[in-house]
Amino acid sequence: MNSFSNKYIVEFNENHGEFTIDFVKKIDDCMPLVVIKTEDLKEMNLKQASEFIGERLILLMPALRKIYEDYLWSEDGDSPKKG
């Protein structure tokens, strides 16, 4: 199964206490790709949560991975020097 896609269902479900990211699918009984518990989110400030959630979306979407590939594989998140 290829779990990379450019279209996802992103949901924060207060009843289940989870933030989920899932790909659009025809079968509803599959497990979400990413689950972040509310208690974990509450331990993060906005900047940390934004980076954590945003990075997961970037890593899952091939088009975004391509745009940010130089940053993703650097040690500090800065674009490596060219040449």
Side-chain angles (χ1 to χ4, degrees), residues 5-28:
S5 175
N6 284 323
K7 187 172 185 178
Y8 288 88
I9 299 169
V10 178
E11 177 183 15
F12 178 70
N13 187 322
E14 290 179 316
N15 293 330
H16 291 128
E18 298 175 336
F19 177 92
T20 61
I21 301 170
D22 202 357
F23 58 95
V24 177
K25 56 191 176 297
K26 294 180 183 177
I27 303 170
D28 276 342

Side-chain angles (χ1 to χ4, degrees), residues 26-55:
K26 294 180 183 177
I27 303 170
D28 276 342
D29 60 355
C30 295
M31 297 294 292
L33 295 173
V34 177
V35 175
I36 306 166
K37 298 288 187 187
T38 302
E39 60 261 20
D40 295 329
L41 287 171
K42 287 181 178 180
E43 291 181 12
M44 299 177 196
N45 63 34
L46 178 60
K47 184 176 184 333
Q48 292 168 325
S50 301
E51 290 173 356
F52 185 80
I53 293 166
E55 185 175 279

Side-chain angles (χ1 to χ4, degrees), residues 60-79:
L60 289 168
M61 296 180 174
L64 290 177
R65 285 173 62 104
K66 179 71 175 151
I67 290 169
Y68 295 107
E69 66 187 349
D70 289 343
Y71 297 92
L72 294 173
W73 315 129
S74 67
E75 290 183 22
D76 59 4
D78 290 328
S79 182

